[in-house]
Amino acid sequence: MKTARFFRKTPVLAASMLSLSLLVAQSANAFELTSKDIQEGHPMAKTFEYNSWGCDGGNQSPQLMWKDAPKGTKSFAITAYDPDAPTGSGFWHWVAYDIPANVTALPRGVDINKIGGKTARIDYGTTGFGGVCPPKGDGMHRYQFTVWALPTATLNVGPNTTPAVIGFTLNNMALGKAKLTATFTR
């Protein structure tokens, strides 16, 4: 009974504790992105390095899987972005969208078109995945892989829509997103 009297006398603390317990419950089922190929904060293998622009890697996209997408998700988008690129605006390595809602994993080297999705032009001037390729001696770069849960089955963009416009669209409409950041140095 002392606990009940305490909370009656301190409603702000009671509300705060209730909010905290709700946050803990929600985080147990938080939208999550994981990979067998890349780990948060760790260097990526040469398998994921681009094979042009002075780089000679395997140019494979990493295996990705996600769970606990928000309710109402009708499709997914995947982006890979290097915020450390010496461009003043970062560098987009992958923009895939219209991935069906029943897809919750992508194998290494996936062809997004074969699973019903689409890809947009990236900063290499091509579509599809473009591996990591930071300039030699530029230090460590971070590569942010993000899966976006979307409330529509079709994103109203085309293959020539710029990555920045697609990123803007995703940020404005996503029900949720999950991110995994790996690194690479040359």
Side-chain angles (χ1 to χ4, degrees):
M1 290 310 264
K2 287 183 179 183
T3 304
R5 278 185 284 183
F6 175 78
F7 284 125
R8 263 194 309 246
K9 292 180 180 178
T10 56
V12 172
L13 180 59
S16 296
M17 291 184 73
L18 178 60
S19 294
L20 180 60
S21 66
L22 289 172
L23 282 174
V24 169
Q26 287 174 348
S27 68
N29 293 328
F31 191 26
E32 181 181 13
L33 174 63
T34 59
S35 174
K36 294 176 184 174
D37 289 335
I38 59 174
Q39 280 69 50
E40 181 70 33
H42 289 106
M44 296 169 58
K46 193 159 180 81
T47 303
F48 311 110
E49 184 182 39
Y50 198 50
N51 194 356
S52 188
W53 288 35
C55 290
D56 61 357
N59 199 43
Q60 295 285 304
S61 61
Q63 181 275 344
L64 300 172
M65 59 195 149
W66 53 94
K67 65 180 184 175
D68 297 322
K71 190 174 187 169
T73 298
K74 295 193 173 127
S75 72
F76 295 102
I78 304 272
T79 58
Y81 176 73
D82 173 3
D84 303 313
T87 63
S89 60
F91 199 92
W92 293 91
H93 289 266
W94 200 11
V95 179
Y97 59 96
D98 292 354
I99 298 168
N102 65 342
V103 174
T104 58
L106 301 176
R108 180 188 297 176
V110 68
D111 179 345
I112 292 293
N113 297 314
K114 289 184 178 177
I115 61 163
K118 299 174 184 159
T119 57
R121 183 177 56 82
I122 56 173
D123 287 339
Y124 286 121
T126 60
T127 58
F129 179 77
V132 302
C133 186
K136 280 187 178 179
D138 201 44
M140 183 189 75
H141 282 226
R142 294 167 293 154
Y143 295 89
Q144 301 168 339
F145 290 83
T146 307
V147 60
W148 306 78
L150 304 173
T152 62
T154 305
L155 197 60
N156 193 21
V157 299
N160 291 319
T161 304
T162 65
V165 169
I166 293 175
F168 178 83
T169 302
L170 294 173
N171 273 298
N172 279 308
M173 71 181 304
L175 298 171
K177 65 182 178 178
K179 188 184 300 183
L180 177 59
T181 303
T183 66
F184 198 79
T185 307
R186 284 183 57 223

